[in-house]
Amino acid sequence: MKIALAQLNYIIGDFNLNTQKIISAVHDAKAKNADLVVFAELCVCGYPPRDFLEFSEFIESCESAAQQIAKECEGIACIIGLPTKNPKVQGKDLFNSAYFIENGSVKAVVNKALLPNYDVFDEYRYFEPAVEFKCVDFMGYKIALTVCEDLWNINDNPMYVTCPMDVLTQEKPDLMINIAASPFAYNHDEERILILGDNCRKYQLPLFYVNQIGAQTEIIFDGGSLVFDKDGSLLDEMPYFTEELKVYEFDQGKVRGLMPIIHDPQSDIAQIHDALILGIKDYFQKSGFTKAVLGLSGGIDSALVCALAAEALGPENVMAVLMPSEYSSDHSIQDALDLVKNLGCKHEAIPIKEATIAFQSMMKPVFKDLPFSVAEENIQARSRAIVVMAMSNKFGYILLNTSNKSECAVGYGTLYGDMAGAIGVLGDVYKTQVYKLSNYINRERDIIPQNSIVKPPSAELRPGQKDSDSLPEYDVLDAILFQYIELKQSSVSIIKMGFDEALVKKVLKMVNVAEFKRNQAPPILRVSPKAFGMGRRMPIVGKYLS
């Protein structure tokens, strides 16, 4: 039996595009003499469809697309993922299903049992967990077909009585096939390989695992579809962040022609770079936009976003706007100009001094003789937001937000100012990672000016201002934030690690009280195991435990 794995990029709700992609891959697999072609979880509608699932027309479109795909499956079988109606009166209205299609019709339906309900996942909101499991017979083989978490999570779970594979193995299957929608995080590829390999060893079965690629707003899928032998040895690993179809030959319990390989992961920074490029590219393409605008300060964050956008969209599609104030240093302006020259992107210089003076004059009768404070600082940041949004409205640009995760965490940003934007490019990238990413971009030649990398970071909203006036050094800050946000450690635990007690309590308080800002921030491209946004849901008003 020849099995093709189709690792594709889908658009949520674009049934025409998804269906044509699937059909094209079916024909491609057939031309390569495959007997079966396997697609990812919920490939028909795209993942995650969220509340689209509550529209009956959406579910009907899924079924209509599946029938259209089935008509193309003559001489080849396929496995596709889609939501299906639960015929029973009790329980949720839908199942998260896999169709096994053969000879133009649906031969078997497999429903997902272990519905993830953590981090970015919310499947239990929509789907009923399956309780019945049966292998699929094809070409004399018994296939244990599962959907994502049903093979991922083999640990005891009090919500479920039965693990699907524990039932399916009673039928003595010959192989496992798992269709998945497994989001990217910089440490997830190694975790995936470890867990899936353990499952192969546990059940003594080879595995064909297919994942999708592509960004769906903030969630990025990296592909990396996998093939294992029954001993859990990795036999093949499809490319990351790239569409591909590959055919494998399975015979008598073995995958022919493949020897065990060693997973050779890219560095975390290289993976984050590739994920952000795909995230930017897909956000624009899937939204129907081509051109980006951003404020370019001469600092490292905006320089990095500008470089990433130029790589993702082409420099001709990126507009960098320099908006010097009376406090902007000459070197910041020159650093920004050097960057746009290196990239070849478009730029405009629009000083904001007159605008901020006008706002301050307007507020003088109310502010009277009160000293210069954060109010005047934020008038500058919001003046810049007015400029870049005016450029967006006038020329059809999409505004990229340049705030990093460290700033987002502690609220070091201005609402309706530098926090404005349609998508947060660096909102899941700590400041210390920003430096590493910048050096990675410069790995072959200087693109981001060295001065932007080495100079002390500053918002330049008052004379001589530096980030360190308000924040601890970023290597210390990021270490504390990582323990609190990603690892969910308490202040007591973090202090025991050797961090200063007063500093830890100050930082955690800053994180907690800034929740109202993050609630109004743009969606953030997720590259870590715990990103701000849909994967971290905290109350805005509440008594925080820290």
Side-chain angles (χ1 to χ4, degrees):
M1 176 170 57
K2 289 188 176 180
I3 301 172
L5 301 185
Q7 179 175 285
L8 302 181
N9 188 344
Y10 307 100
I11 298 180
I12 296 169
D14 192 338
F15 293 103
N16 289 333
L17 180 140
N18 296 342
T19 301
Q20 290 308 311
K21 272 198 169 190
I22 292 168
I23 289 173
S24 178
V26 167
H27 291 164
D28 187 15
K30 187 175 179 180
K32 294 177 178 177
N33 298 315
D35 301 297
L36 171 65
V37 55
V38 187
F39 299 90
E41 178 181 13
L42 294 185
C43 60
V44 171
C45 63
Y47 189 100
R50 299 186 186 167
D51 282 3
F52 275 163
L53 293 168
E54 296 180 351
F55 290 82
S56 58
E57 183 181 6
F58 187 85
I59 306 304
E60 290 163 4
S61 295
C62 289
E63 182 61 33
S64 176
Q67 295 306 319
Q68 187 178 347
I69 293 164
K71 291 177 182 178
E72 304 293 327
C73 291
E74 294 291 345
I76 187 171
C78 84
I79 296 170
I80 56 174
L82 72 162
T84 63
K85 294 180 180 178
N86 177 8
K88 298 179 180 178
V89 176
Q90 293 181 327
K92 305 284 174 57
D93 293 336
L94 301 172
F95 287 113
N96 182 342
S97 304
Y99 275 3
F100 192 100
I101 297 172
E102 183 183 5
N103 295 325
S105 62
V106 179
K107 177 181 177 180
V109 180
V110 172
N111 298 324
K112 188 174 182 178
L114 305 180
L115 302 172
N117 201 40
Y118 57 87
D119 197 62
V120 298
F121 301 104
D122 198 11
E123 290 193 26
Y124 202 71
R125 174 183 173 94
Y126 308 102
F127 297 117
E128 180 71 10
V131 293
E132 297 176 355
F133 313 101
K134 186 173 176 57
C135 288
V136 178
D137 295 316
F138 181 63
M139 293 184 64
Y141 294 103
K142 285 188 177 294
I143 299 173
L145 173 58
T146 55
V147 181
C148 204
E149 195 86 0
D150 285 358
L151 190 62
W152 182 268
N153 186 355
I154 62 174
N155 298 321
D156 292 335
N157 189 325
M159 288 182 65
Y160 309 104
V161 177
T162 307
C163 178
M165 277 306 304
D166 291 343
V167 177
L168 294 171
T169 50
Q170 296 173 17
E171 296 186 44
K172 301 189 183 308
D174 299 289
L175 71 156
M176 299 183 290
I177 293 178
N178 182 262
I179 66 172
S182 181
F184 168 78
Y186 59 77
N187 64 342
H188 202 38
D189 52 340
E190 294 171 303
E191 183 184 17
R192 246 187 238 139
I193 290 169
L194 177 64
I195 290 176
L196 294 176
D198 284 347
N199 285 348
C200 294
R201 282 185 285 274
K202 175 180 178 179
Y203 297 112
Q204 281 295 289
L205 290 170
L207 167 65
F208 295 85
Y209 163 90
V210 63
N211 189 25
Q212 56 194 267
I213 74 142
Q216 309 291 2
T217 311
E218 62 267 74
I219 302 177
I220 300 167
F221 297 95
D222 58 338
S225 302
L226 304 165
V227 179
F228 295 86
D229 67 16
K230 68 177 183 178
D231 297 322
S233 296
L234 180 64
L235 298 179
D236 199 29
E237 183 177 15
M238 288 172 65
Y240 289 84
F241 307 108
T242 303
E243 289 187 303
E244 183 160 311
L245 183 143
K246 198 165 184 180
V247 179
Y248 304 89
E249 185 172 354
F250 177 78
D251 184 32
Q252 298 180 347
K254 295 183 178 180
V255 183
R256 291 192 173 275
L258 296 179
M259 298 295 292
I261 61 173
I262 302 297
H263 172 61
D264 184 18
Q266 286 185 300
S267 68
D268 291 350
I269 293 301
Q271 291 185 69
I272 290 171
H273 168 270
D274 292 351
L276 293 177
I277 294 297
L278 180 59
I280 296 168
K281 187 180 298 183
D282 271 11
Y283 184 86
F284 277 75
Q285 289 182 352
K286 293 180 180 182
S287 301
F289 297 104
T290 58
K291 298 180 184 296
V293 66
L294 73 154
L296 189 64
S297 67
I300 191 170
D301 297 317
S302 61
L304 176 58
V305 171
C306 194
L308 291 167
E311 184 176 348
L313 306 175
E316 70 279 5
N317 293 314
V318 178
M319 170 60 74
V321 184
L322 287 64
M323 297 170 284
S325 73
E326 58 184 308
Y327 304 117
S328 297
S329 59
D330 292 339
H331 66 74
S332 291
I333 298 169
Q334 188 58 52
D335 293 339
L337 291 172
D338 288 344
L339 177 73
V340 296
K341 180 180 178 181
N342 292 344
L343 292 173
C345 63
K346 299 176 182 178
H347 77 282
E348 294 285 352
I350 306 175
I352 63 164
K353 181 178 179 179
E354 291 183 10
T356 56
I357 289 174
F359 276 117
Q360 289 169 10
S361 298
M362 183 174 66
M363 298 304 296
K364 179 121 180 114
V366 179
F367 287 177
K368 301 187 187 312
D369 294 323
L370 291 171
F372 185 98
S373 70
V374 69
E376 285 80 9
E377 291 182 12
N378 285 344
I379 283 174
Q380 296 173 70
R382 292 183 178 120
S383 296
R384 291 188 171 110
I386 290 171
V387 171
V388 288
M389 282 308 303
M391 295 287 287
S392 172
N393 296 155
K394 184 63 72 175
F395 300 110
Y397 296 118
I398 295 299
L399 176 59
L400 298 178
N401 178 268
T402 63
S403 300
N404 63 61
K405 189 172 187 176
S406 307
E407 294 169 342
C408 291
V410 297
Y412 194 66
T414 303
L415 264 180
Y416 326 120
D418 57 325
M419 289 182 66
I423 188 76
V425 177
L426 300 180
D428 197 27
V429 179
Y430 287 113
K431 187 75 169 190
T432 47
Q433 293 173 313
V434 166
Y435 286 107
K436 293 176 183 177
L437 267 172
S438 298
N439 286 317
Y440 180 80
I441 291 217
N442 285 359
R443 63 194 181 280
E444 294 179 356
R445 66 180 180 92
D446 273 3
I447 295 173
I448 297 174
Q450 282 299 312
N451 197 48
S452 291
I453 297 174
V454 301
K455 68 185 176 185
S458 169
E460 293 191 331
L461 297 176
R462 65 174 182 267
Q465 184 185 36
K466 295 179 182 178
D467 289 6
S468 56
D469 297 338
S470 306
L471 302 174
E473 294 298 327
Y474 279 112
D475 57 344
V476 177
L477 174 64
D478 288 355
I480 294 171
L481 292 174
F482 180 82
Q483 292 295 326
Y484 186 48
I485 297 167
E486 268 88 340
L487 302 185
K488 297 184 280 290
Q489 295 294 312
S490 68
S491 59
V492 174
S493 299
I494 298 172
I495 292 165
K496 286 182 179 178
M497 296 174 190
F499 293 98
D500 178 76
E501 180 176 353
L503 178 60
V504 169
K505 291 184 175 180
K506 175 185 176 182
V507 169
L508 268 55
K509 183 178 180 181
M510 292 171 76
V511 174
N512 294 339
V513 299
E515 193 63 43
F516 79 100
K517 286 189 176 182
R518 289 190 293 273
N519 199 257
Q520 300 177 71
I524 289 168
L525 294 177
R526 177 187 186 269
V527 297
S528 80
K530 181 60 68 175
F532 293 128
M534 62 181 295
R536 187 180 186 271
R537 308 173 198 181
M538 304 293 283
I540 293 175
V541 178
K543 179 67 175 177
Y544 293 87
L545 296 175
S546 57

